[in-house]
């Protein structure tokens, strides 16, 4: 078919862009890398004989998944060499990455889920996301992963079991999230050791991602006592204390990956983000992103 008779590439691609970006972000944990993958998928779509593609959504999902699997081959080595804990790039506009399907995990972009996906093998991750999140059938998953349908069912089943073990079953109410986030901000800002300990779960974990580019805890900090002492110790450092008193340090509440979160600015520049995982009335995990490369997209105009 001549190019003039084919579906317009941009018009036929754009309805799927958000869903494809969500798939790539969940696979890679990086918005920047996900956008590169989706742009590559668009270029391939543009060059494809679109008149013979019966299901554009499945074709594009297959293309993006394969591109992500290729990307993960090099990412695995980079992650092994990463300095300190690795966290996904924080998102403030997670609703734009929702899949065009209604499933149990469709609107879940929490850091906890993304870290669980990171612990899966690339094929397990792909099978789970394609089937359970993006609602593609197993024949399509098998075609994408170049495995049998039975093998893909097993991949997705193993992934699903791990996700259900590690993913919280119930989400906190908005009221509970607001209460604990505000209590955390107040205790953090004042260096209130006991106040922090009261709102942390007994098995709470603190993760800090500096990527070797800025100071950060090189290992997870475990337990309310250690976390509270670590955080209040930072606040009590003379340099930070002066900023707290003089005013250049500013905290702003935000939703980060759909979780209660905080943006911390120093002298007008985003310095770090906090995402709080809340379960059963306590904070069970604190995810702090300090790596400037991961914060670049969230900086005010002119400061990226």
């Amino acid at each position: 078919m001549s190019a003039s008779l084919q579906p317009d590439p941009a018009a036929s691609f754009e309805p799927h862009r958000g869903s494809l970006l969500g798939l790539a972000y969940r696979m890679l944990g990086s918005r920047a890398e996900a956008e590169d993958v989706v742009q590559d998928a668009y270029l391939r779509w543009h060059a494809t004989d679109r008149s013979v593609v019966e299901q554009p959504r499945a074709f594009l999902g297959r293309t993006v998944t394969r591109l992500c699997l290729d990307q993960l081959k090099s990412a695995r080595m980079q992650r092994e060499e990463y300095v300190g804990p690795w966290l996904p790039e924080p998102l403030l506009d997670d609703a734009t990455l929702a899949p065009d399907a209604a499933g149990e995990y469709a609107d879940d972009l929490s850091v906890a889920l993304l870290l669980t996906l990171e612990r899966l093998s690339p094929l397990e991750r792909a099978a789970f996301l394609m089937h359970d999140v993006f609602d593609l059938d197993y024949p399509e998953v098998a075609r994408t992963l170049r495995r049998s349908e039975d093998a893909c069912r097993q991949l997705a089943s193993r992934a699903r079991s791990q996700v259900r073990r590690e993913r919280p079953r119930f989400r906190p109410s908005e009221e509970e999230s607001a209460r604990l986030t505000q209590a955390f901000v107040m205790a953090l800002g004042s260096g209130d050791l006991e106040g922090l300990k009261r709102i942390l779960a007994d098995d709470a974990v603190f993760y800090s991602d500096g990527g070797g580019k800025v100071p950060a805890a090189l290992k997870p900090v475990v337990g309310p006592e250690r976390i509270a002492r670590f955080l209040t110790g930072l606040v009590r450092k003379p340099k930070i204390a002066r900023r707290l008193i003089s005013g250049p340090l500013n905290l702003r509440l935000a939703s980060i990956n759909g979780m209660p979160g905080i943006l911390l600015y120093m002298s007008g520049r985003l310095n770090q983000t906090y995402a709080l995982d809340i379960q059963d009335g306590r904070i069970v995990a604190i995810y702090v992103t300090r790596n400037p490369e991961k914060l670049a997209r969230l900086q005010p105009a002119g400061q990226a």
Side-chain angles (χ1 to χ4, degrees), residues 56-261:
R57 178 178 182 271
F59 176 91
L60 292 169
R62 182 166 63 249
T63 301
V64 165
T65 301
R66 287 177 177 170
L67 288 170
C68 286
L69 288 172
D70 289 341
Q71 180 79 7
L72 285 172
K73 291 178 182 177
S74 59
R76 280 287 178 181
M77 183 173 297
Q78 295 172 8
R79 301 279 168 83
E80 290 174 0
E81 298 173 352
Y82 199 82
V83 178
W86 176 92
L87 295 177
E89 181 182 338
L91 291 178
L92 300 184
D93 56 346
D94 57 289
T96 64
L97 307 188
D100 49 2
E104 182 180 358
Y105 306 99
D107 62 346
D108 192 342
L109 274 165
S110 66
V111 179
L113 176 62
L114 290 168
L115 289 179
T116 300
L117 295 177
E118 175 72 11
R119 289 189 284 271
L120 302 174
S121 74
L123 290 179
E124 288 173 337
R125 194 184 318 179
F128 171 77
L129 289 173
M130 292 186 73
H131 183 266
D132 285 47
V133 179
F134 290 83
D135 199 30
L136 294 171
D137 58 26
Y138 279 115
E140 184 60 40
V141 177
R143 184 180 179 188
T144 302
L145 302 186
R146 298 185 175 96
R147 300 290 193 278
S148 69
E149 287 186 37
D150 285 343
C152 290
R153 289 178 188 275
Q154 292 175 11
L155 287 168
S157 177
R158 288 199 298 269
R160 191 181 306 119
S161 296
Q162 185 161 336
V163 168
R164 287 178 175 169
R165 281 196 305 270
E166 300 187 22
R167 177 180 178 270
R169 186 176 179 184
F170 301 106
R171 295 189 182 184
S173 66
E174 291 185 8
E175 294 76 10
E176 184 178 57
S177 294
R179 176 180 63 81
L180 283 168
T181 303
Q182 189 63 39
F184 178 79
V185 169
M186 295 296 292
L188 179 65
S190 62
D192 182 358
L193 178 70
E194 294 303 319
L196 282 170
K197 288 166 59 177
R198 280 194 298 270
I199 60 176
L200 293 171
D202 292 342
D203 57 350
V205 186
F206 173 93
Y207 301 89
S208 182
D209 179 346
K213 297 173 175 59
V214 294
L218 296 179
K219 294 182 179 180
V221 182
V222 181
E225 179 76 28
R226 290 182 177 179
I227 295 172
R229 289 191 179 280
F230 179 83
L231 289 172
T232 55
L234 291 177
V235 172
R236 290 168 182 164
K237 286 185 177 181
K239 184 178 180 180
I240 297 177
R242 285 197 300 271
R243 285 177 171 173
L244 282 168
I245 295 171
S246 59
L249 187 147
N250 179 47
L251 298 176
R252 182 164 71 86
L253 301 184
S255 175
I256 299 175
N257 288 72
M259 307 170 69

Side-chain angles (χ1 to χ4, degrees), residues 110 112 166 168 172 259-260 275-279 282-287:
S110 66
E166 300 187 22
M259 307 170 69
L276 307 180
D277 191 351
I278 295 172
Q279 298 178 37
R282 292 288 187 275
I283 297 172
V284 299
I286 303 170
Y287 304 102

